[in-house]
Amino acid sequence: MDASIAIHGGAGTIPAAMLDAAIADEYHAALRNALQAGWNVLAKGGRALDAVTQAVIVLEDDPLFNAARGAVFTSAGTLEMDAAIMSGRGRDAGAVAGICGPKNPILGARIVLEHSGTVLMAGKGAEDFLRGQGIPFMPPEYFFSDRRWRALQLELRRREAGAPDTRSDADRHGTVGAVARDLFGDLAAATSTGGITAKPPGRIGDTPIFGAGTYADNATCAVSATGTGEVFIRYTAAAEIAARIRYGKQSLEQAADEVVAELLRHGGDGGLIAIGPAGLPELPFNSTGMYRGFIGPDGVPHTAVHRDAYRRL
Amino acid sequence: MDASIAIHGGAGTIPAAMLDAAIADEYHAALRNALQAGWNVLAKGGRALDAVTQAVIVLEDDPLFNAARGAVFTSAGTLEMDAAIMSGRGRDAGAVAGICGPKNPILGARIVLEHSGTVLMAGKGAEDFLRGQGIPFMPPEYFFSDRRWRALQLELRRREAGAPDTRSDADRHGTVGAVARDLFGDLAAATSTGGITAKPPGRIGDTPIFGAGTYADNATCAVSATGTGEVFIRYTAAAEIAARIRYGKQSLEQAADEVVAELLRHGGDGGLIAIGPAGLPELPFNSTGMYRGFIGPDGVPHTAVHRDAYRRL
């Protein structure tokens, strides 16, 4: 069995023409770090569930991406994070929604999977439960970034003025995620996000919804999505890919490509990463770009932002 | 096009031998009231979305069922309600989770569908948003019932004593829901619940998860589920039925029956109601009973609790 991992840092990217070469290098390096953290687990014979956890932790810890440190603000200036993790073996799942506190929300999701007896916990109840489980918490300042705060102020002023929404995907949303297959053939998926800039407090997107933004089933695929969460929920994006594979006899590539195209027809821009029981991951998107990367059997990190060729390093 | 509606009042029923005849009559009458409220909409040429809303309001207002008035308590003695509604035309969807305040959580879900620009809102953010939308709110006393409070105390004492869990389905959980097809062929589904007695605060079940406990798509089916929410989420219960119809060429009956049987193999007891573009609704369950009923083209309410024949009135 070949191990493999793919990651994304959100479908919201800066237009190619505006992406400074030095900043592009930063993104590629950050993606490589996350890939390598996941691959280190897989190469040693570790579990896919641990590989996606480690990859997402690296992305959460990096303020370049909209998850944990660097999360975007709600319209009330608060932070509300969602995260989810699912194992394709036994379809164990855990997710948190609308929380602020755990340094790594994905570890919160993992704790929900392993110790809560439930699969989805939200808000203060989730925070209290996780505090009792002893994972690291951080004060609000840790998650704060000037760049996200300015994005919120700009958006609030735009709304007040009734001006048209000219924000790029990058200003609007972002998500991080990983999918992996380990040497035992088990699949796993993990996703984490701060949501959408100036989202209404209480809004939950597709990240913690299994079958929408996060999904894993050894028989078909593991999926982590990023994009217009509401559309991904209404069209059960990830479950739709699995259904086309299981009952429609489509390949992972065909199913993933067609679903991403169909989501766009319904107003859902974004993309996803998907991996099946064999072969390389698929990383389709219908937006200008998607921070993404994968490592296949050769162990070489491939990273990309727009539609140009992957950097191999 | 034939209009039709089906409802459920939860798969958690009292064992047949313990159900007093007078109490059974109460349940049948309550189910008929809800069916009739939905059917009145459909018979006048109204929309499926309005029919399921009206049917669920009747069930929410009745303390016999675990939704809104009569909702079960969390382990902290609080009330946290979930509700969801989805239209098969355009797949518009709205849901609320972990809220206490709106007299009818299903109206909260409907407001999220129509006015929030999002599909799922939870906790205080959802309550604040709904308060601003002017739907009726009630004080906590309105939702309180002695019977549910006693059930919580019994369960907390059982846990303290470390005694085995001998509660019937009826003590553990319950949900209400409706699916309908209108004269235009549009489908809709609605679900509302108080969750599980002594659930951890913050726990969200399958009710507000589209593709798990609530789902509607004109091309395949509308579904409202009740049962072990965690399993229904991990196996994307409702989306799985739609997938078998769309890609597996199964009938609604076969898909619904097989999925309910498969859920039980994974530890998911409960049932669901489902309706397709034509024909009568399906109401399969794998538990001892499910409060349920339907009205087909003859306009006659059919209601049942256990596996005995439907009462026709």
Side-chain angles (χ1 to χ4, degrees), chain A residues 80 86 90-93 97 116-126 129 200-205 208-212 215-216 229-231 233-236 239-240 243-244 246-248 250 262, chain B residues 80 86 90-93 97 116-126 129 200-205 208-212 215-216 229-231 233-236 239-240 243-244 246-248 250 262:
Chain A
E80 296 185 355
M86 187 166 183
R91 295 175 74 144
D92 293 324
S116 74
T118 183
V119 304
L120 172 56
M121 296 189 73
K124 190 174 172 299
F129 166 71
R203 177 259 188 192
I204 297 176
I209 309 300
F210 298 101
Y215 184 81
E230 280 68 16
V231 178
I233 292 176
R234 288 164 48 218
Y235 287 88
T236 60
E240 176 68 16
R244 286 164 179 256
R246 186 191 296 263
Y247 299 110
Q250 295 188 1
E262 188 180 316
Chain B
E80 296 185 356
M86 187 165 185
R91 297 176 73 146
D92 293 325
S116 74
T118 183
V119 304
L120 171 57
M121 295 187 73
K124 189 172 174 300
F129 166 72
R203 178 260 187 189
I204 297 177
I209 309 301
F210 298 102
Y215 185 81
E230 280 68 17
V231 178
I233 291 175
R234 287 164 48 218
Y235 288 87
T236 61
E240 175 67 17
R244 286 162 179 258
R246 187 191 295 261
Y247 300 111
Q250 294 188 0
E262 187 180 316

Side-chain angles (χ1 to χ4, degrees), chain A residues 66-105:
Chain A
N66 172 21
R69 199 174 169 206
V72 301
F73 292 93
T74 71
S75 61
T78 53
L79 293 162
E80 296 185 355
M81 305 166 203
D82 305 335
I85 189 162
M86 187 166 183
S87 166
R89 165 183 295 216
R91 295 175 74 144
D92 293 324
V96 289
I99 64 164
C100 184
K103 174 171 175 284
N104 292 106

Side-chain angles (χ1 to χ4, degrees), chain A residues 2-4 39 181 279-281 294-300:
Chain A
D2 282 336
S4 188
W39 183 252
R181 181 182 63 240
L280 288 176
F294 69 91
I295 297 183
D298 61 5
V300 178

